[in-house]
mmCIF file of all heavy atoms in Angstrom:
data_model
loop_
_atom_site.group_PDB
_atom_site.id
_atom_site.type_symbol
_atom_site.label_atom_id
_atom_site.label_comp_id
_atom_site.label_asym_id
_atom_site.label_seq_id
_atom_site.Cartn_x
_atom_site.Cartn_y
_atom_site.Cartn_z
ATOM 1 N N GLU K 1720 39.741 14.900 -42.336
ATOM 2 C CA GLU K 1720 40.566 14.868 -43.537
ATOM 3 C C GLU K 1720 39.898 15.731 -44.600
ATOM 4 O O GLU K 1720 38.687 15.613 -44.811
ATOM 5 C CB GLU K 1720 40.688 13.437 -44.037
ATOM 6 C CG GLU K 1720 41.968 13.179 -44.761
ATOM 7 C CD GLU K 1720 42.189 11.697 -44.993
ATOM 8 O OE1 GLU K 1720 42.770 11.048 -44.116
ATOM 9 O OE2 GLU K 1720 41.732 11.213 -46.049
ATOM 10 N N VAL K 1721 40.679 16.584 -45.199
ATOM 11 C CA VAL K 1721 40.105 17.468 -46.221
ATOM 12 C C VAL K 1721 40.991 17.438 -47.468
ATOM 13 O O VAL K 1721 42.220 17.374 -47.368
ATOM 14 C CB VAL K 1721 39.926 18.919 -45.692
ATOM 15 C CG1 VAL K 1721 41.249 19.550 -45.300
ATOM 16 C CG2 VAL K 1721 39.209 19.805 -46.707
ATOM 17 N N ARG K 1722 40.326 17.405 -48.626
ATOM 18 C CA ARG K 1722 41.062 17.476 -49.898
ATOM 19 C C ARG K 1722 40.356 18.509 -50.771
ATOM 20 O O ARG K 1722 39.125 18.527 -50.850
ATOM 21 C CB ARG K 1722 41.029 16.117 -50.575
ATOM 22 C CG ARG K 1722 42.261 15.826 -51.352
ATOM 23 C CD ARG K 1722 42.421 14.392 -51.844
ATOM 24 N NE ARG K 1722 41.187 13.752 -52.179
ATOM 25 C CZ ARG K 1722 40.710 12.666 -51.592
ATOM 26 N NH1 ARG K 1722 41.377 12.102 -50.611
ATOM 27 N NH2 ARG K 1722 39.567 12.132 -51.967
ATOM 28 N N PHE K 1723 41.149 19.386 -51.364
ATOM 29 C CA PHE K 1723 40.582 20.433 -52.200
ATOM 30 C C PHE K 1723 40.723 20.070 -53.679
ATOM 31 O O PHE K 1723 41.685 19.390 -54.062
ATOM 32 C CB PHE K 1723 41.316 21.767 -51.926
ATOM 33 C CG PHE K 1723 41.163 22.228 -50.497
ATOM 34 C CD1 PHE K 1723 42.099 21.853 -49.529
ATOM 35 C CD2 PHE K 1723 40.063 22.988 -50.116
ATOM 36 C CE1 PHE K 1723 41.957 22.245 -48.218
ATOM 37 C CE2 PHE K 1723 39.927 23.393 -48.783
ATOM 38 C CZ PHE K 1723 40.873 23.021 -47.833
ATOM 39 N N ALA K 1724 39.758 20.546 -54.475
ATOM 40 C CA ALA K 1724 39.832 20.261 -55.921
ATOM 41 C C ALA K 1724 41.034 20.982 -56.523
ATOM 42 O O ALA K 1724 41.760 20.413 -57.328
ATOM 43 C CB ALA K 1724 38.525 20.704 -56.593
ATOM 44 N N GLN K 1725 41.237 22.234 -56.164
ATOM 45 C CA GLN K 1725 42.446 22.951 -56.565
ATOM 46 C C GLN K 1725 42.724 24.022 -55.533
ATOM 47 O O GLN K 1725 41.786 24.523 -54.903
ATOM 48 C CB GLN K 1725 42.286 23.562 -57.966
ATOM 49 C CG GLN K 1725 41.127 24.508 -58.050
ATOM 50 C CD GLN K 1725 40.692 24.733 -59.486
ATOM 51 O OE1 GLN K 1725 40.924 23.897 -60.335
ATOM 52 N NE2 GLN K 1725 40.090 25.865 -59.742
ATOM 53 N N GLY K 1726 43.998 24.347 -55.385
ATOM 54 C CA GLY K 1726 44.374 25.265 -54.305
ATOM 55 C C GLY K 1726 44.127 24.572 -52.985
ATOM 56 O O GLY K 1726 43.630 23.434 -52.966
ATOM 57 N N ALA K 1727 44.489 25.179 -51.888
ATOM 58 C CA ALA K 1727 44.246 24.573 -50.582
ATOM 59 C C ALA K 1727 44.393 25.615 -49.501
ATOM 60 O O ALA K 1727 45.164 26.570 -49.630
ATOM 61 C CB ALA K 1727 45.223 23.437 -50.322
ATOM 62 N N LEU K 1728 43.668 25.441 -48.430
ATOM 63 C CA LEU K 1728 43.849 26.302 -47.263
ATOM 64 C C LEU K 1728 45.167 25.885 -46.581
ATOM 65 O O LEU K 1728 45.468 24.691 -46.522
ATOM 66 C CB LEU K 1728 42.718 26.052 -46.245
ATOM 67 C CG LEU K 1728 41.375 26.657 -46.509
ATOM 68 C CD1 LEU K 1728 40.389 26.107 -45.476
ATOM 69 C CD2 LEU K 1728 41.436 28.178 -46.400
ATOM 70 N N ALA K 1746 49.172 15.938 -50.589
ATOM 71 C CA ALA K 1746 48.869 16.688 -51.807
ATOM 72 C C ALA K 1746 47.410 17.134 -51.774
ATOM 73 O O ALA K 1746 46.529 16.347 -51.479
ATOM 74 C CB ALA K 1746 49.138 15.819 -53.033
ATOM 75 N N GLN K 1747 47.170 18.379 -52.013
ATOM 76 C CA GLN K 1747 45.812 18.951 -52.104
ATOM 77 C C GLN K 1747 44.983 18.902 -50.826
ATOM 78 O O GLN K 1747 43.775 18.996 -50.872
ATOM 79 C CB GLN K 1747 45.012 18.250 -53.238
ATOM 80 C CG GLN K 1747 45.550 18.460 -54.624
ATOM 81 C CD GLN K 1747 45.611 19.931 -55.012
ATOM 82 O OE1 GLN K 1747 46.693 20.430 -55.277
ATOM 83 N NE2 GLN K 1747 44.507 20.630 -55.010
ATOM 84 N N GLY K 1748 45.655 18.678 -49.697
ATOM 85 C CA GLY K 1748 44.852 18.662 -48.476
ATOM 86 C C GLY K 1748 45.663 18.333 -47.244
ATOM 87 O O GLY K 1748 46.883 18.322 -47.243
ATOM 88 N N PHE K 1749 44.971 18.014 -46.171
ATOM 89 C CA PHE K 1749 45.657 17.670 -44.918
ATOM 90 C C PHE K 1749 44.687 16.951 -43.998
ATOM 91 O O PHE K 1749 43.461 16.918 -44.206
ATOM 92 C CB PHE K 1749 46.226 18.918 -44.229
ATOM 93 C CG PHE K 1749 45.244 20.052 -44.009
ATOM 94 C CD1 PHE K 1749 44.446 20.103 -42.876
ATOM 95 C CD2 PHE K 1749 45.134 21.077 -44.956
ATOM 96 C CE1 PHE K 1749 43.568 21.145 -42.672
ATOM 97 C CE2 PHE K 1749 44.234 22.113 -44.756
ATOM 98 C CZ PHE K 1749 43.447 22.164 -43.621
ATOM 99 N N LEU K 1763 36.275 24.541 -41.568
ATOM 100 C CA LEU K 1763 36.991 24.333 -42.838
ATOM 101 C C LEU K 1763 36.090 24.683 -44.010
ATOM 102 O O LEU K 1763 36.510 25.379 -44.955
ATOM 103 C CB LEU K 1763 37.411 22.861 -42.959
ATOM 104 C CG LEU K 1763 38.748 22.456 -42.370
ATOM 105 C CD1 LEU K 1763 38.880 20.945 -42.338
ATOM 106 C CD2 LEU K 1763 39.892 23.048 -43.212
ATOM 107 N N ALA K 1764 34.855 24.211 -43.943
ATOM 108 C CA ALA K 1764 33.898 24.471 -45.035
ATOM 109 C C ALA K 1764 33.644 25.980 -45.149
ATOM 110 O O ALA K 1764 33.640 26.538 -46.273
ATOM 111 C CB ALA K 1764 32.596 23.718 -44.785
ATOM 112 N N ASN K 1765 33.460 26.659 -44.013
ATOM 113 C CA ASN K 1765 33.206 28.116 -44.047
ATOM 114 C C ASN K 1765 34.381 28.837 -44.671
ATOM 115 O O ASN K 1765 34.204 29.710 -45.526
ATOM 116 C CB ASN K 1765 33.011 28.656 -42.628
ATOM 117 C CG ASN K 1765 31.710 28.167 -42.028
ATOM 118 O OD1 ASN K 1765 30.844 27.648 -42.747
ATOM 119 N ND2 ASN K 1765 31.566 28.274 -40.710
ATOM 120 N N ARG K 1766 35.583 28.486 -44.264
ATOM 121 C CA ARG K 1766 36.780 29.167 -44.765
ATOM 122 C C ARG K 1766 36.976 28.921 -46.249
ATOM 123 O O ARG K 1766 37.363 29.807 -47.003
ATOM 124 C CB ARG K 1766 38.015 28.725 -44.016
ATOM 125 C CG ARG K 1766 38.040 29.284 -42.625
ATOM 126 C CD ARG K 1766 39.234 28.789 -41.863
ATOM 127 N NE ARG K 1766 39.228 29.385 -40.558
ATOM 128 C CZ ARG K 1766 40.286 29.903 -39.959
ATOM 129 N NH1 ARG K 1766 41.461 29.840 -40.536
ATOM 130 N NH2 ARG K 1766 40.172 30.459 -38.791
ATOM 131 N N ALA K 1767 36.741 27.654 -46.641
ATOM 132 C CA ALA K 1767 36.911 27.333 -48.056
ATOM 133 C C ALA K 1767 35.924 28.148 -48.904
ATOM 134 O O ALA K 1767 36.271 28.732 -49.927
ATOM 135 C CB ALA K 1767 36.683 25.842 -48.266
ATOM 136 N N THR K 1768 34.683 28.226 -48.431
ATOM 137 C CA THR K 1768 33.657 28.982 -49.172
ATOM 138 C C THR K 1768 34.080 30.450 -49.268
ATOM 139 O O THR K 1768 34.029 31.058 -50.348
ATOM 140 C CB THR K 1768 32.290 28.888 -48.464
ATOM 141 O OG1 THR K 1768 32.021 27.512 -48.224
ATOM 142 C CG2 THR K 1768 31.172 29.485 -49.282
ATOM 143 N N ALA K 1769 34.521 31.020 -48.136
ATOM 144 C CA ALA K 1769 34.917 32.440 -48.110
ATOM 145 C C ALA K 1769 36.056 32.718 -49.081
ATOM 146 O O ALA K 1769 36.150 33.785 -49.657
ATOM 147 C CB ALA K 1769 35.324 32.823 -46.685
ATOM 148 N N GLN K 1770 36.906 31.708 -49.272
ATOM 149 C CA GLN K 1770 38.053 31.932 -50.176
ATOM 150 C C GLN K 1770 37.842 31.366 -51.572
ATOM 151 O O GLN K 1770 38.778 31.273 -52.371
ATOM 152 C CB GLN K 1770 39.306 31.322 -49.552
ATOM 153 C CG GLN K 1770 39.655 32.010 -48.241
ATOM 154 C CD GLN K 1770 41.017 31.569 -47.703
ATOM 155 O OE1 GLN K 1770 41.915 31.232 -48.459
ATOM 156 N NE2 GLN K 1770 41.160 31.635 -46.396
ATOM 157 N N GLY K 1771 36.619 30.941 -51.848
ATOM 158 C CA GLY K 1771 36.310 30.437 -53.190
ATOM 159 C C GLY K 1771 37.004 29.129 -53.524
ATOM 160 O O GLY K 1771 37.217 28.805 -54.692
ATOM 161 N N LEU K 1772 37.329 28.340 -52.495
ATOM 162 C CA LEU K 1772 37.984 27.045 -52.743
ATOM 163 C C LEU K 1772 36.927 25.945 -52.768
ATOM 164 O O LEU K 1772 35.958 25.976 -51.994
ATOM 165 C CB LEU K 1772 39.000 26.733 -51.618
ATOM 166 C CG LEU K 1772 40.256 27.611 -51.599
ATOM 167 C CD1 LEU K 1772 40.983 27.411 -50.276
ATOM 168 C CD2 LEU K 1772 41.158 27.265 -52.768
ATOM 169 N N HIS K 1773 37.143 24.973 -53.640
ATOM 170 C CA HIS K 1773 36.171 23.884 -53.767
ATOM 171 C C HIS K 1773 36.702 22.654 -53.013
ATOM 172 O O HIS K 1773 37.793 22.160 -53.297
ATOM 173 C CB HIS K 1773 35.963 23.586 -55.246
ATOM 174 C CG HIS K 1773 35.011 22.455 -55.476
ATOM 175 N ND1 HIS K 1773 33.717 22.458 -55.021
ATOM 176 C CD2 HIS K 1773 35.179 21.293 -56.117
ATOM 177 C CE1 HIS K 1773 33.138 21.332 -55.361
ATOM 178 N NE2 HIS K 1773 33.997 20.603 -56.025
ATOM 179 N N ILE K 1774 35.914 22.183 -52.042
ATOM 180 C CA ILE K 1774 36.326 20.975 -51.301
ATOM 181 C C ILE K 1774 35.863 19.735 -52.060
ATOM 182 O O ILE K 1774 34.696 19.588 -52.384
ATOM 183 C CB ILE K 1774 35.697 20.966 -49.872
ATOM 184 C CG1 ILE K 1774 36.367 22.059 -49.013
ATOM 185 C CG2 ILE K 1774 35.871 19.618 -49.210
ATOM 186 C CD1 ILE K 1774 35.843 22.150 -47.601
ATOM 187 N N GLU K 1775 36.820 18.850 -52.313
ATOM 188 C CA GLU K 1775 36.488 17.625 -53.060
ATOM 189 C C GLU K 1775 36.082 16.506 -52.089
ATOM 190 O O GLU K 1775 35.219 15.688 -52.387
ATOM 191 C CB GLU K 1775 37.729 17.190 -53.840
ATOM 192 C CG GLU K 1775 37.449 16.173 -54.914
ATOM 193 C CD GLU K 1775 38.699 15.950 -55.730
ATOM 194 O OE1 GLU K 1775 39.672 15.366 -55.183
ATOM 195 O OE2 GLU K 1775 38.717 16.390 -56.878
ATOM 196 N N HIS K 1776 36.747 16.517 -50.917
ATOM 197 C CA HIS K 1776 36.464 15.438 -49.939
ATOM 198 C C HIS K 1776 36.641 15.986 -48.533
ATOM 199 O O HIS K 1776 37.610 16.700 -48.256
ATOM 200 C CB HIS K 1776 37.451 14.291 -50.193
ATOM 201 C CG HIS K 1776 37.444 13.243 -49.120
ATOM 202 N ND1 HIS K 1776 36.581 12.165 -49.153
ATOM 203 C CD2 HIS K 1776 38.139 13.140 -47.972
ATOM 204 C CE1 HIS K 1776 36.794 11.438 -48.062
ATOM 205 N NE2 HIS K 1776 37.728 12.012 -47.326
ATOM 206 N N LEU K 1777 35.679 15.655 -47.651
ATOM 207 C CA LEU K 1777 35.785 16.089 -46.262
ATOM 208 C C LEU K 1777 35.206 14.980 -45.397
ATOM 209 O O LEU K 1777 34.053 14.575 -45.580
ATOM 210 C CB LEU K 1777 34.977 17.375 -46.087
ATOM 211 C CG LEU K 1777 34.990 18.035 -44.707
ATOM 212 C CD1 LEU K 1777 36.373 18.573 -44.380
ATOM 213 C CD2 LEU K 1777 33.977 19.172 -44.642
#
Side-chain angles (χ1 to χ4, degrees):
E1720 208 169 272
V1721 61
R1722 213 169 35 241
F1723 298 91
Q1725 58 200 25
L1728 283 172
Q1747 295 301 119
F1749 53 87
L1763 272 169
N1765 291 345
R1766 287 178 178 224
T1768 309
Q1770 296 189 29
L1772 290 167
H1773 178 58
I1774 290 180
E1775 195 173 69
H1776 170 88
L1777 182 67

